[in-house]
């Protein structure tokens, strides 16, 4: 495997952009988690997952910057991404953007099941019964863990 030596500055700029984006996402999560006023007596358990997510994002961003500065990243191999690959990537991005918006309207369980179904079909799974089973089971499992076991409120949209 070749090392990243000789790679252009465009690849390095993109890596720095991705690292900065990761730090920005961590800042947004941190603001929404720790700086938004909560009523007194609110439990702190819902802040554990966002705190871990922030730490992981910051560590990965630092690693990316360090690997880019030392030119230790492997060079990309293979053919350039085809138009179909770009369309698939854009579809996945669109689903990821639509998911939290749909969650506010139709609620967490329905939006999660729909998003997982859309992700699986976009990625090429054609056993629709398995996709539907997986999506419904996962949405029910996460709902049960967060709402029933941890008592963390989730958006219910139309079902509130």
């Amino acid at each position: 495997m070749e090392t990243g030596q000789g790679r252009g500055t465009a690849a390095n700029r993109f890596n720095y952009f991705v690292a900065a984006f990761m730090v920005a996402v961590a800042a947004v999560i941190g603001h929404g988690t720790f700086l938004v006023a909560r009523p007194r007596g609110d439990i702190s358990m819902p802040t554990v997952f966002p705190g871990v997510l922030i730490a992981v994002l910051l560590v990965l961003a630092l690693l990316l910057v360090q690997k880019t500065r030392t030119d230790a990243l492997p060079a990309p191999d293979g053919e350039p991404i085809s138009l179909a690959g770009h369309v698939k990537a854009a579809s996945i991005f669109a689903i990821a953007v639509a998911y939290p918006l749909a969650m506010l309207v139709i609620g967490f369980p329905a939006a999660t099941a729909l998003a997982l179904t859309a992700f699986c079909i976009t990625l090429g799974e054609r056993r629709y019964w398995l996709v539907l089973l997986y999506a419904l089971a996962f949405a029910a499992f996460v709902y049960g863990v967060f709402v029933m076991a941890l008592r963390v409120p989730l958006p219910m949209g139309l079902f509130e």
Side-chain angles (χ1 to χ4, degrees):
M1 178 186 292
E2 292 181 28
T3 61
Q5 293 177 354
R7 289 176 55 187
T9 58
N12 289 347
R13 279 193 300 251
F14 180 74
N15 288 346
Y16 292 133
F17 170 77
V18 169
F21 182 74
M22 292 167 70
V23 170
V25 169
V28 168
I29 294 171
H31 177 269
T33 302
F34 302 112
L35 300 179
V36 173
R38 278 193 215 96
R40 284 207 174 277
D42 194 12
I43 59 174
S44 64
M45 186 62 183
T47 63
V48 172
F49 178 73
V52 170
L53 185 61
I54 291 167
V56 168
L57 280 169
L58 293 176
V59 167
L60 290 175
L62 286 172
L63 283 172
L64 181 60
V65 167
Q66 186 266 334
K67 295 276 189 187
T68 301
R69 290 182 67 83
T70 60
D71 209 20
L73 293 172
D77 18 302
E79 297 293 319
I81 299 174
S82 67
L83 179 61
H86 285 291
V87 169
K88 187 179 285 190
S91 299
I92 290 171
F93 181 75
I95 295 165
V97 169
Y99 170 58
L101 300 174
M103 193 184 306
L104 297 174
V105 176
I106 62 174
F108 174 82
T112 300
L114 286 173
L116 286 173
T117 301
F119 278 129
C120 290
I121 290 171
T122 300
L123 292 173
E125 181 59 56
R126 294 297 175 245
R127 294 175 290 181
Y128 300 114
W129 65 271
L130 185 63
V131 169
L132 189 60
L133 177 68
Y134 166 72
L136 292 175
F138 184 78
F141 173 76
V142 172
Y143 177 81
V145 167
F146 280 92
V147 172
M148 297 178 167
L150 298 176
R151 306 258 185 236
V152 175
L154 295 174
M156 295 307 294
L158 300 171
F159 301 106
E160 284 189 68

